[in-house]
Amino acid sequence: MNTRKMRFLPLFLLTLTSLCSCQGGGINSSSSETSPEVDSSFFETSEDEELIHLEDDKSEQYVFADSSNENGSMNYEIFVRSFYDSDGDGVGDLNGVKEKLPYICDMGFKTIWMMPIFPSPSYHGYDVTNYYSVNPDYGTLDDFDALVIEASKYNIDIMLDMVFNHCSIKNPYFAESFQDYKSNNVSVSSKADWFNWGPGGQHQYQGVSYESRFDAGMPDFNLDSEGVRKEIEAITKFWIGHGVKGFRLDAVLYYYYQNTTKNVEFLTWLKEVATKYDPSFYMVGECWASDPLVNDYYESTCDSFFRFGNATGGDANMINMVKGYGNCENFAVTVEGNEKDIHKRNPNGYSSYFLSNHDQDRVSKNFESNMNVYKAAVSLYTLLPGNSYTYYGEEISLRGVRVTSPKDDGSDVRRRLPMVWSKNDKKGECSFPEKNRQDLNNNKQVELGVNDQLKDGFSLLNHYKMLIHLRNKYSFIKHATFSSRMLAINTEETSVLAYSLKNGSDSIAIVHNFSPKNVEVNAPGSQILDEINVSHKKPALVNGKLRLGAYSSVILK
């Protein structure tokens, strides 16, 4: 019998004197006493299942917390073209999103982030030709208004993907700017300075260079132009007037290329503009960079930025960690450090965590051989502070990767494939989204869709639902302080992660086991509030020790 025992510093706050009081499932407490100091004793971790016996969890399905999305912080990213087709033309549309609001609400999501919905010559929409309208493939502005009204009945906010770095070369702005530039028009109405014309540009238009760092068809705005800023303010005011509650800001690193100071200044200005029209308007920026640089952007007062470092690589990569390639101690130290750093810069700022998005291969490719590991990853990222984002289809293990070998296929379309709603009933299922790249339409897709997985009590989809409802139950964690409770002495042990989340008098401790075996940790005085039994083993507190099943988690008092 092999027994490996490791010693650690204290895991978590042992006793918490009050818990959140939140709609439909919180635990109420009138106590205002301060939590006691962390126990200074060491604890041991054992991975020998013969020593760590756990009773079977004989539940027939996950149990969902009785909670509401009203104060939630889970976000659902949708590519409308691939989501749900309401009129049978093969293209997802706004009415299709509206039709699926009951499903999105039932899952527990608070916000829908829609990738660009504006008129565009491309399938993806990131090259906008008209910022004041809706892509006719998706419907009309009236359809959008109807969606917003209906979403509000489900406590769901609508967030738009807003592209202020560049537009389409077919946008009238571009041709008008070129004519004004060529004619040296310096009148008040001139758009000559709306784009960056002249030497140094990446591409040419009728013999004149212009800046366009992404693509020749996506010219970059000159964000120093007074006219451009007035137009951006008008666009922002327009969509706030149509009920939009937030923007996902595309490509903020490129606003002023490699100039963090000016990017921060622009984001500060933009947030001030938006909050003139809606004081609660929120923004999350796409800042695909290292953690220190992302943290710098919180100087802008922009609410949040995506944590690419936790989704794409490095010591704090969530996917690697749950698969056994990472280190829980490194993760905890990194998250705690980042959270402290951003709150120094912006006390109201928060992180945005995710497993994958529309610019990355589907996260399912990492877990095809082990669904329990996939579920452990979901448990982790949904129980972190800040906001968490789910890319449509993640909840059913939707597949899709960009092919880069033997050569790059040049398209992200495989990462944005149609949602699968049912194995047999194909009503509403969309066609392949990029019509002129049918050569890429050869994808082996997951068979069981939303409707199928809803009927399976322990499906991946129901695991997502259970975690989202649990997060909504403890809604205070959005603005909670993350504190590592896992300071390892023996670095061989990397499979257990423990931390506390505290917001005022509300506090919980969370322990995750990413090992394929049961583990035991010291936890005197604790009480199990909620359990996430991925391996169908009941956690137990025995003589002051917590016993936890493989790939499972607990929330402790």
Side-chain angles (χ1 to χ4, degrees):
M1 182 191 308
N2 285 328
T3 302
R4 293 195 297 138
K5 294 186 178 180
M6 318 298 176
R7 303 187 73 197
F8 292 81
L9 292 177
L11 261 181
F12 38 78
L13 294 175
L14 299 179
T15 305
L16 304 171
T17 56
S18 63
L19 280 170
C20 61
S21 174
C22 46
Q23 180 174 344
I27 300 177
N28 299 311
S29 173
S30 59
S31 172
S32 59
E33 296 179 17
T34 304
S35 298
E37 295 297 319
V38 177
D39 190 304
S40 59
S41 62
F42 293 87
F43 70 89
E44 293 182 331
T45 299
S46 171
E47 287 191 348
D48 194 321
E49 288 187 285
E50 292 185 46
L51 292 179
I52 307 171
H53 173 74
L54 290 174
E55 298 293 333
D56 290 338
D57 183 348
K58 297 181 180 180
S59 303
E60 295 182 357
Q61 62 182 34
Y62 287 123
V63 176
F64 306 117
D66 182 15
S67 60
S68 167
N69 67 339
E70 184 174 5
N71 297 310
S73 51
M74 282 295 301
N75 304 261
Y76 195 50
E77 180 191 359
I78 289 176
F79 180 38
V80 175
R81 187 175 297 276
S82 287
F83 191 62
Y84 190 82
D85 170 23
S86 71
D87 58 10
D89 65 356
V91 178
D93 45 52
L94 296 177
N95 286 332
V97 176
K98 185 175 72 172
E99 191 170 331
K100 291 301 177 180
L101 286 172
Y103 162 70
I104 297 169
C105 177
D106 181 60
M107 289 293 291
F109 291 106
K110 172 60 181 173
T111 301
I112 295 173
W113 152 28
M114 292 191 292
M115 291 168 61
I117 63 167
F118 316 107
S120 169
S122 69
Y123 84 94
H124 53 72
Y126 282 95
D127 45 346
V128 179
T129 57
N130 183 348
Y131 285 90
Y132 298 94
S133 186
V134 169
N135 190 321
D137 286 349
Y138 295 170
T140 66
L141 190 57
D142 286 342
D143 292 332
F144 178 83
D145 291 338
L147 169 61
V148 171
I149 292 170
E150 191 68 14
S152 68
K153 298 176 183 177
Y154 291 92
N155 298 318
I156 293 175
D157 293 342
I158 300 297
M159 180 167 65
L160 291 185
D161 205 325
M162 192 56 72
V163 190
F164 285 144
N165 178 71
H166 55 264
C167 67
S168 170
I169 199 170
K170 296 181 180 180
N171 191 309
Y173 297 154
F174 186 76
E176 292 170 16
S177 177
F178 179 72
Q179 291 302 320
D180 288 342
Y181 175 80
K182 288 286 287 184
S183 64
N184 198 29
N185 181 355
V186 293
S187 68
V188 175
S189 62
S190 173
K191 291 184 174 67
D193 68 346
W194 280 35
F195 299 89
N196 297 305
W197 301 102
Q202 289 72 38
H203 299 92
Q204 287 196 342
Y205 180 76
Q206 297 186 22
V208 179
S209 295
Y210 63 96
E211 184 180 10
S212 52
R213 295 187 178 275
F214 279 100
D215 184 88
M218 299 179 181
D220 293 354
F221 285 116
N222 171 19
L223 297 177
D224 281 331
S225 166
E226 183 179 349
V228 168
R229 292 210 178 191
K230 286 182 178 179
E231 188 70 0
I232 287 174
E233 178 167 355
I235 293 165
T236 300
K237 180 181 179 182
F238 176 84
W239 287 106
I240 290 176
H242 282 272
V244 173
K245 298 298 185 183
F247 287 162
R248 179 266 187 185
L249 300 172
D250 184 62
V252 301
L253 282 171
Y254 291 82
Y255 286 166
Y256 297 90
Y257 187 62
Q258 294 185 335
N259 191 329
T260 300
T261 300
K262 296 200 73 172
N263 286 339
V264 166
E265 179 276 325
F266 177 80
L267 286 166
T268 301
W269 170 83
L270 182 59
K271 184 64 189 297
E272 290 173 353
V273 163
T275 52
K276 281 198 306 185
Y277 304 105
D278 178 359
S280 63
F281 197 81
Y282 53 90
M283 296 178 178
V284 55
E286 181 204 22
C287 186
W288 201 323
S290 63
D291 285 339
L293 182 54
V294 172
N295 293 349
D296 286 343
Y297 275 73
Y298 281 89
E299 299 280 0
S300 67
T301 70
C302 184
D303 302 89
S304 188
F305 295 89
F306 289 106
R307 283 291 171 195
F308 283 91
N310 296 119
T312 57
D315 288 340
N317 179 285
M318 293 184 286
I319 295 170
N320 285 347
M321 189 170 63
V322 299
K323 292 177 72 175
Y325 306 139
N327 184 296
C328 290
E329 172 66 12
N330 290 340
F331 179 85
V333 169
T334 299
V335 172
E336 183 173 357
N338 285 333
E339 293 296 312
K340 288 179 178 178
D341 196 8
I342 67 175
H343 289 134
K344 288 178 183 177
R345 300 165 188 266
N346 179 2
N348 297 315
Y350 48 87
S351 295
S352 288
Y353 294 97
F354 65 101
L355 293 179
S356 68
N357 68 17
H358 59 278
D359 287 325
Q360 299 169 290
D361 287 348
R362 285 284 183 173
V363 71
S364 59
K365 81 171 187 178
N366 297 283
F367 305 116
E368 289 182 352
S369 62
N370 195 329
M371 188 57 64
N372 283 350
V373 182
Y374 197 159
K375 290 180 177 180
V378 176
S379 301
L380 172 60
Y381 98 97
T382 55
L383 292 177
L384 291 172
N387 274 357
S388 294
Y389 286 78
T390 300
Y391 184 33
Y392 81 95
E394 268 183 21
E395 70 269 37
I396 61 169
S397 193
L398 200 71
R399 297 171 179 166
V401 299
R402 181 170 178 167
V403 176
T404 57
S405 179
K407 66 177 182 178
D408 195 321
D409 63 32
S411 174
D412 285 323
V413 68
R414 282 192 175 112
R415 296 165 166 172
R416 306 162 183 173
L417 295 173
M419 183 67 155
V420 177
W421 294 98
S422 171
K423 179 179 180 179
N424 299 315
D425 183 358
K426 297 304 177 182
K427 178 184 177 182
E429 189 165 314
C430 304
S431 301
F432 185 73
E434 192 173 13
K435 295 178 182 178
N436 63 346
R437 291 304 306 271
Q438 291 298 322
D439 58 305
L440 302 179
N441 188 12
N442 55 353
N443 306 279
K444 183 180 179 181
Q445 193 48 275
V446 63
E447 290 188 359
L448 298 180
V450 169
N451 298 332
D452 309 300
Q453 293 202 26
L454 281 170
K455 298 172 185 176
D456 178 354
F458 294 110
S459 66
L460 178 64
L461 182 146
N462 277 321
H463 185 78
Y464 265 91
K465 180 178 176 181
M466 183 259 293
L467 262 299
I468 296 169
H469 280 241
L470 199 55
R471 181 184 175 91
N472 289 341
K473 175 181 176 180
Y474 301 104
S475 60
F476 72 86
I477 70 176
K478 176 178 180 178
H479 293 290
T481 298
F482 178 103
S483 298
S484 170
R485 301 301 174 203
M486 187 74 182
L487 300 176
I489 287 177
N490 189 326
T491 57
E492 288 184 39
E493 173 54 64
T494 63
S495 64
V496 177
L497 173 67
Y499 54 91
S500 65
L501 296 172
K502 182 175 177 60
N503 185 348
S505 61
D506 295 321
S507 187
I508 53 177
I510 297 173
V511 184
H512 299 285
N513 174 21
F514 302 129
S515 165
K517 297 182 179 181
N518 302 338
V519 296
E520 183 178 84
V521 297
N522 205 37
S526 295
Q527 174 185 343
I528 297 174
L529 299 176
D530 288 285
E531 53 195 61
I532 304 161
N533 305 331
V534 171
S535 58
H536 304 289
K537 296 292 183 180
K538 295 282 292 182
L541 287 167
V542 180
N543 298 324
K545 294 183 181 293
L546 170 67
R547 296 178 176 180
L548 188 57
Y551 303 116
S552 298
S553 308
V554 290
I555 296 177
L556 299 176
K557 178 180 179 180

mmCIF file of all heavy atoms in Angstrom, residues 276-294:
data_model
loop_
_atom_site.group_PDB
_atom_site.id
_atom_site.type_symbol
_atom_site.label_atom_id
_atom_site.label_comp_id
_atom_site.label_asym_id
_atom_site.label_seq_id
_atom_site.Cartn_x
_atom_site.Cartn_y
_atom_site.Cartn_z
ATOM 1 N N LYS A 276 -22.379 59.079 -18.548
ATOM 2 C CA LYS A 276 -23.225 60.277 -18.637
ATOM 3 C C LYS A 276 -24.653 59.893 -18.961
ATOM 4 O O LYS A 276 -25.607 60.534 -18.518
ATOM 5 C CB LYS A 276 -22.710 61.233 -19.739
ATOM 6 C CG LYS A 276 -21.541 62.081 -19.352
ATOM 7 C CD LYS A 276 -21.367 63.269 -20.297
ATOM 8 C CE LYS A 276 -21.289 62.876 -21.753
ATOM 9 N NZ LYS A 276 -21.004 64.033 -22.634
ATOM 10 N N TYR A 277 -24.814 58.853 -19.769
ATOM 11 C CA TYR A 277 -26.137 58.443 -20.245
ATOM 12 C C TYR A 277 -26.721 57.292 -19.433
ATOM 13 O O TYR A 277 -27.938 57.089 -19.421
ATOM 14 C CB TYR A 277 -26.051 58.075 -21.724
ATOM 15 C CG TYR A 277 -25.480 59.197 -22.568
ATOM 16 C CD1 TYR A 277 -24.182 59.137 -23.065
ATOM 17 C CD2 TYR A 277 -26.233 60.339 -22.816
ATOM 18 C CE1 TYR A 277 -23.657 60.176 -23.825
ATOM 19 C CE2 TYR A 277 -25.707 61.393 -23.567
ATOM 20 C CZ TYR A 277 -24.419 61.301 -24.065
ATOM 21 O OH TYR A 277 -23.907 62.342 -24.801
ATOM 22 N N ASP A 278 -25.846 56.517 -18.781
ATOM 23 C CA ASP A 278 -26.300 55.437 -17.905
ATOM 24 C C ASP A 278 -25.231 55.239 -16.831
ATOM 25 O O ASP A 278 -24.181 54.643 -17.096
ATOM 26 C CB ASP A 278 -26.510 54.145 -18.679
ATOM 27 C CG ASP A 278 -26.949 52.979 -17.792
ATOM 28 O OD1 ASP A 278 -27.082 53.174 -16.562
ATOM 29 O OD2 ASP A 278 -27.148 51.873 -18.320
ATOM 30 N N PRO A 279 -25.456 55.740 -15.621
ATOM 31 C CA PRO A 279 -24.428 55.655 -14.574
ATOM 32 C C PRO A 279 -23.986 54.234 -14.246
ATOM 33 O O PRO A 279 -22.880 54.034 -13.729
ATOM 34 C CB PRO A 279 -25.116 56.310 -13.363
ATOM 35 C CG PRO A 279 -26.143 57.215 -13.949
ATOM 36 C CD PRO A 279 -26.637 56.501 -15.182
ATOM 37 N N SER A 280 -24.817 53.245 -14.536
ATOM 38 C CA SER A 280 -24.455 51.856 -14.227
ATOM 39 C C SER A 280 -23.900 51.105 -15.433
ATOM 40 O O SER A 280 -23.674 49.892 -15.365
ATOM 41 C CB SER A 280 -25.675 51.111 -13.677
ATOM 42 O OG SER A 280 -26.715 51.047 -14.647
ATOM 43 N N PHE A 281 -23.661 51.795 -16.549
ATOM 44 C CA PHE A 281 -23.154 51.149 -17.764
ATOM 45 C C PHE A 281 -21.780 50.532 -17.480
ATOM 46 O O PHE A 281 -20.934 51.125 -16.812
ATOM 47 C CB PHE A 281 -23.032 52.172 -18.879
ATOM 48 C CG PHE A 281 -22.911 51.575 -20.253
ATOM 49 C CD1 PHE A 281 -24.037 51.144 -20.935
ATOM 50 C CD2 PHE A 281 -21.670 51.448 -20.870
ATOM 51 C CE1 PHE A 281 -23.935 50.594 -22.207
ATOM 52 C CE2 PHE A 281 -21.563 50.905 -22.136
ATOM 53 C CZ PHE A 281 -22.697 50.477 -22.811
ATOM 54 N N TYR A 282 -21.555 49.311 -17.980
ATOM 55 C CA TYR A 282 -20.302 48.631 -17.694
ATOM 56 C C TYR A 282 -19.586 48.229 -18.981
ATOM 57 O O TYR A 282 -20.198 48.086 -20.053
ATOM 58 C CB TYR A 282 -20.518 47.407 -16.810
ATOM 59 C CG TYR A 282 -21.556 46.419 -17.298
ATOM 60 C CD1 TYR A 282 -21.209 45.364 -18.132
ATOM 61 C CD2 TYR A 282 -22.889 46.544 -16.896
ATOM 62 C CE1 TYR A 282 -22.161 44.462 -18.573
ATOM 63 C CE2 TYR A 282 -23.848 45.641 -17.328
ATOM 64 C CZ TYR A 282 -23.482 44.606 -18.159
ATOM 65 O OH TYR A 282 -24.433 43.718 -18.597
ATOM 66 N N MET A 283 -18.286 48.069 -18.863
ATOM 67 C CA MET A 283 -17.448 47.733 -20.016
ATOM 68 C C MET A 283 -16.431 46.678 -19.622
ATOM 69 O O MET A 283 -15.863 46.725 -18.528
ATOM 70 C CB MET A 283 -16.704 48.970 -20.515
ATOM 71 C CG MET A 283 -17.599 50.076 -21.037
ATOM 72 S SD MET A 283 -16.627 51.511 -21.557
ATOM 73 C CE MET A 283 -17.947 52.569 -22.171
ATOM 74 N N VAL A 284 -16.205 45.728 -20.516
ATOM 75 C CA VAL A 284 -15.145 44.743 -20.342
ATOM 76 C C VAL A 284 -14.283 44.788 -21.594
ATOM 77 O O VAL A 284 -14.790 44.777 -22.714
ATOM 78 C CB VAL A 284 -15.712 43.328 -20.097
ATOM 79 C CG1 VAL A 284 -16.675 42.893 -21.201
ATOM 80 C CG2 VAL A 284 -14.584 42.314 -19.958
ATOM 81 N N GLY A 285 -12.978 44.893 -21.402
ATOM 82 C CA GLY A 285 -12.076 45.061 -22.522
ATOM 83 C C GLY A 285 -11.347 43.787 -22.903
ATOM 84 O O GLY A 285 -10.962 42.987 -22.034
ATOM 85 N N GLU A 286 -11.156 43.622 -24.212
ATOM 86 C CA GLU A 286 -10.309 42.542 -24.713
ATOM 87 C C GLU A 286 -8.877 43.059 -24.757
ATOM 88 O O GLU A 286 -8.496 43.781 -25.669
ATOM 89 C CB GLU A 286 -10.747 42.100 -26.110
ATOM 90 C CG GLU A 286 -9.900 40.962 -26.654
ATOM 91 C CD GLU A 286 -9.889 40.870 -28.174
ATOM 92 O OE1 GLU A 286 -10.178 41.877 -28.845
ATOM 93 O OE2 GLU A 286 -9.575 39.791 -28.699
ATOM 94 N N CYS A 287 -8.110 42.688 -23.756
ATOM 95 C CA CYS A 287 -6.705 43.091 -23.654
ATOM 96 C C CYS A 287 -5.876 41.820 -23.612
ATOM 97 O O CYS A 287 -5.536 41.317 -22.543
ATOM 98 C CB CYS A 287 -6.497 43.944 -22.404
ATOM 99 S SG CYS A 287 -4.849 44.650 -22.233
ATOM 100 N N TRP A 288 -5.588 41.289 -24.780
ATOM 101 C CA TRP A 288 -4.919 39.992 -24.888
ATOM 102 C C TRP A 288 -3.429 40.205 -24.632
ATOM 103 O O TRP A 288 -2.649 40.436 -25.550
ATOM 104 C CB TRP A 288 -5.160 39.398 -26.263
ATOM 105 C CG TRP A 288 -4.956 37.909 -26.332
ATOM 106 C CD1 TRP A 288 -4.021 37.180 -25.672
ATOM 107 C CD2 TRP A 288 -5.718 36.975 -27.096
ATOM 108 N NE1 TRP A 288 -4.134 35.847 -25.986
ATOM 109 C CE2 TRP A 288 -5.172 35.689 -26.864
ATOM 110 C CE3 TRP A 288 -6.795 37.087 -27.971
ATOM 111 C CZ2 TRP A 288 -5.667 34.539 -27.476
ATOM 112 C CZ3 TRP A 288 -7.284 35.939 -28.574
ATOM 113 C CH2 TRP A 288 -6.728 34.683 -28.325
ATOM 114 N N ALA A 289 -3.051 40.124 -23.356
ATOM 115 C CA ALA A 289 -1.686 40.452 -22.962
ATOM 116 C C ALA A 289 -1.353 39.754 -21.650
ATOM 117 O O ALA A 289 -2.198 39.090 -21.038
ATOM 118 C CB ALA A 289 -1.537 41.972 -22.808
ATOM 119 N N SER A 290 -0.113 39.935 -21.194
ATOM 120 C CA SER A 290 0.323 39.358 -19.929
ATOM 121 C C SER A 290 -0.408 40.036 -18.773
ATOM 122 O O SER A 290 -0.899 41.166 -18.900
ATOM 123 C CB SER A 290 1.827 39.547 -19.764
ATOM 124 O OG SER A 290 2.142 40.932 -19.706
ATOM 125 N N ASP A 291 -0.452 39.352 -17.630
ATOM 126 C CA ASP A 291 -1.162 39.895 -16.478
ATOM 127 C C ASP A 291 -0.688 41.294 -16.069
ATOM 128 O O ASP A 291 -1.521 42.169 -15.809
ATOM 129 C CB ASP A 291 -1.055 38.936 -15.291
ATOM 130 C CG ASP A 291 -1.958 37.721 -15.437
ATOM 131 O OD1 ASP A 291 -2.928 37.792 -16.215
ATOM 132 O OD2 ASP A 291 -1.700 36.703 -14.768
ATOM 133 N N PRO A 292 0.609 41.560 -15.966
ATOM 134 C CA PRO A 292 1.027 42.903 -15.547
ATOM 135 C C PRO A 292 0.511 43.997 -16.473
ATOM 136 O O PRO A 292 0.107 45.070 -15.994
ATOM 137 C CB PRO A 292 2.561 42.816 -15.570
ATOM 138 C CG PRO A 292 2.855 41.370 -15.343
ATOM 139 C CD PRO A 292 1.770 40.644 -16.073
ATOM 140 N N LEU A 293 0.506 43.745 -17.776
ATOM 141 C CA LEU A 293 0.018 44.753 -18.704
ATOM 142 C C LEU A 293 -1.502 44.895 -18.593
ATOM 143 O O LEU A 293 -2.035 46.013 -18.613
ATOM 144 C CB LEU A 293 0.411 44.397 -20.135
ATOM 145 C CG LEU A 293 -0.014 45.407 -21.218
ATOM 146 C CD1 LEU A 293 0.485 46.814 -20.891
ATOM 147 C CD2 LEU A 293 0.509 44.970 -22.591
ATOM 148 N N VAL A 294 -2.201 43.772 -18.468
ATOM 149 C CA VAL A 294 -3.655 43.846 -18.272
ATOM 150 C C VAL A 294 -3.971 44.674 -17.036
ATOM 151 O O VAL A 294 -4.858 45.538 -17.045
ATOM 152 C CB VAL A 294 -4.267 42.433 -18.144
ATOM 153 C CG1 VAL A 294 -5.735 42.520 -17.737
ATOM 154 C CG2 VAL A 294 -4.138 41.669 -19.462
#
